[in-house]
Amino acid sequence: MSNSLISKKGNPRLPQNISTSGSPGVTMDVSVSMKSLINRATNESTINKNLKGGWNWNMYTPVIVAEFPEKFRSDPDFEEYHGNNLPLLKLLDGDHRKHMYQRAFPGEQTMPGYRIPVKTKEEYHKLFYEINWASRKNANKEEVFIHQVLAKEPEALVIELKLRRCGVSVCGSPDAGGTVGAKNSPHVTVGAFGRCLKHGESNVRRAVQLLRNCWPADNMLKGELLEGLTIMYSVYPVLSNPSSNKLCGDFVSFFNRYANMFDQREAATLFKDKGGRVHHKHGESIARGIVSHWRDSKDNKCTRKYRQKAVKMHVINDLIER
């Protein structure tokens, strides 16, 4: 960081009359066993990496804890405060630092922290993703998305509703409440689901159903494979036409054969290679690979000739070549 302000336009201009919110926090010692309201997965590898050279106080910044109003005393998420008069504190930022501190100082019961006041759970979750994504990008998209849903951000709630309608979910934390979307469903990444939605929610639902039927034991759907199938349903509406039962059944039978031979990753790789592995168009490449393999497969519920007449190769080629 330079000592003077640098501007590409020559004359640095700082914003004036900046609004402020919240109130200054308080530095204090907090419990090393403090819990959070749904936290990111705490990875042992990260802790071991950060402690490889030992503990360095010059690199430590206090963990941030949020203090809630008294009305949350009886809330189920605050069970550690039931029956006592302790301040209602929840760890907001610094879970890895907490575990590092516990390992470096096993006999200590407290650690340095910075306490800030919050009024609601929604405010807590909003602060989490603003600290860990908007400001530092320490959290991944799934971790941030969970807190956006819990903060009741409108856009996140819309996506969460579509997750439920499509029969999938997003996991951002192993903690209770750390998964949103359809209950008891396979997970998807936020990015992959967003790309799929561009090709129509109804097509996403069909693709999800096929993948769930083909790999029922998998708890995660391969994003590129889901996107490829969604694109295929989008550009070949005949596969969604109730009057095309013979063709639809033929495709499902074909796809099931591949599912019996390969796992999702292997199938995605095979179809992507067959589709030309076009840069920045992996979903489209997978769709083309699926179409190509299917059109050339042996007669099943319909003949190869009928299949090739109904499913034209130029349709997916035109999409990729745009």
Side-chain angles (χ1 to χ4, degrees):
M1 182 176 293
S2 61
N3 291 320
S4 58
L5 186 63
I6 298 173
S7 173
K8 293 181 179 180
K9 295 182 179 180
N11 294 321
R13 293 183 180 181
L14 293 177
Q16 303 296 318
N17 302 318
I18 300 173
S19 64
T20 62
S21 60
S23 57
V26 177
T27 301
M28 60 181 294
D29 287 337
V30 299
S31 172
V32 295
S33 58
M34 182 176 297
K35 297 179 180 180
S36 60
L37 290 178
I38 303 179
N39 213 325
R40 303 158 55 196
T42 306
N43 298 313
E44 181 183 13
S45 60
T46 302
I47 294 172
N48 289 338
K49 177 183 177 181
N50 291 341
L51 287 176
K52 189 175 181 178
W55 178 274
N56 185 345
W57 276 109
N58 290 341
M59 298 176 64
Y60 178 84
T61 55
V63 299
I64 300 177
V65 299
E67 182 172 12
F68 284 80
E70 183 62 27
K71 67 180 181 180
F72 287 96
R73 176 79 57 184
S74 59
D75 190 295
D77 289 333
F78 291 76
E79 61 180 359
E80 67 269 35
Y81 297 109
H82 293 178
N84 61 51
N85 293 316
L86 296 173
L88 303 178
L89 302 177
K90 287 289 187 179
L91 185 65
L92 174 62
D93 181 57
D95 192 61
H96 281 88
R97 273 170 282 162
K98 180 186 79 171
H99 287 279
M100 289 167 57
Y101 193 92
Q102 289 174 335
R103 189 170 297 187
F105 306 101
E108 295 291 331
Q109 299 299 311
T110 61
M111 61 183 173
Y114 183 71
R115 184 189 69 197
I116 60 172
V118 298
K119 296 179 180 178
T120 64
K121 292 182 183 179
E122 289 79 10
E123 181 185 1
Y124 170 95
H125 292 296
K126 186 175 182 179
L127 283 170
F128 173 89
Y129 73 73
E130 288 185 341
I131 290 171
N132 287 284
W133 182 256
S135 298
R136 293 197 314 238
K137 288 185 169 53
N138 280 357
N140 63 41
K141 291 182 180 180
E142 286 65 52
E143 293 165 344
V144 169
F145 178 70
I146 296 301
H147 286 274
Q148 288 176 324
V149 171
L150 294 171
K152 297 182 179 179
E153 292 292 319
E155 290 184 7
L157 292 177
V158 170
I159 296 174
E160 197 269 342
L161 176 60
K162 292 180 179 181
L163 285 167
R164 284 188 273 126
R165 290 200 297 239
C166 290
V168 286
S169 54
V170 168
C171 179
S173 169
D175 295 346
T179 299
V180 298
K183 293 183 179 180
N184 303 316
S185 67
H187 304 323
V188 293
T189 64
V190 175
F193 188 69
R195 290 193 301 272
C196 290
L197 286 175
K198 294 178 181 178
H199 303 285
E201 185 181 329
S202 61
N203 296 315
V204 180
R205 287 198 296 269
R206 294 184 183 94
V208 166
Q209 189 59 56
L210 181 57
L211 290 179
R212 292 189 66 170
N213 289 341
C214 288
W215 288 280
D218 289 8
N219 62 7
M220 185 84 184
L221 298 186
K222 179 73 174 174
E224 289 182 345
L225 190 56
L226 177 62
E227 185 183 2
L229 276 173
T230 302
I231 291 172
M232 188 172 174
Y233 280 118
S234 173
V235 297
Y236 294 105
V238 65
L239 291 177
S240 308
N241 190 338
S243 64
S244 306
N245 288 337
K246 185 168 71 170
L247 191 65
C248 295
D250 184 79
F251 173 66
V252 171
S253 178
F254 155 81
F255 201 83
N256 266 298
R257 290 200 302 273
Y258 276 83
N260 288 333
M261 294 186 290
F262 306 103
D263 61 27
Q264 288 188 69
R265 182 187 61 80
E266 293 168 337
T269 300
L270 184 149
F271 291 133
K272 190 191 302 182
D273 289 342
K274 181 69 173 178
R277 196 178 278 269
V278 180
H279 190 51
H280 291 318
K281 292 189 176 182
H282 290 177
E284 291 86 346
S285 298
I286 288 174
R288 179 159 66 181
I290 295 172
V291 174
S292 181
H293 271 298
W294 178 38
R295 278 168 45 90
D296 293 336
S297 63
K298 296 180 180 179
D299 294 354
N300 192 347
K301 296 183 183 299
C302 62
T303 65
R304 183 185 302 177
K305 183 177 180 180
Y306 176 83
R307 190 186 305 131
Q308 292 181 348
K309 182 179 179 180
V311 182
K312 301 295 186 181
M313 201 71 208
H314 76 83
V315 176
I316 186 64
N317 286 338
D318 291 346
L319 177 67
I320 292 176
E321 292 167 6
R322 285 178 189 169

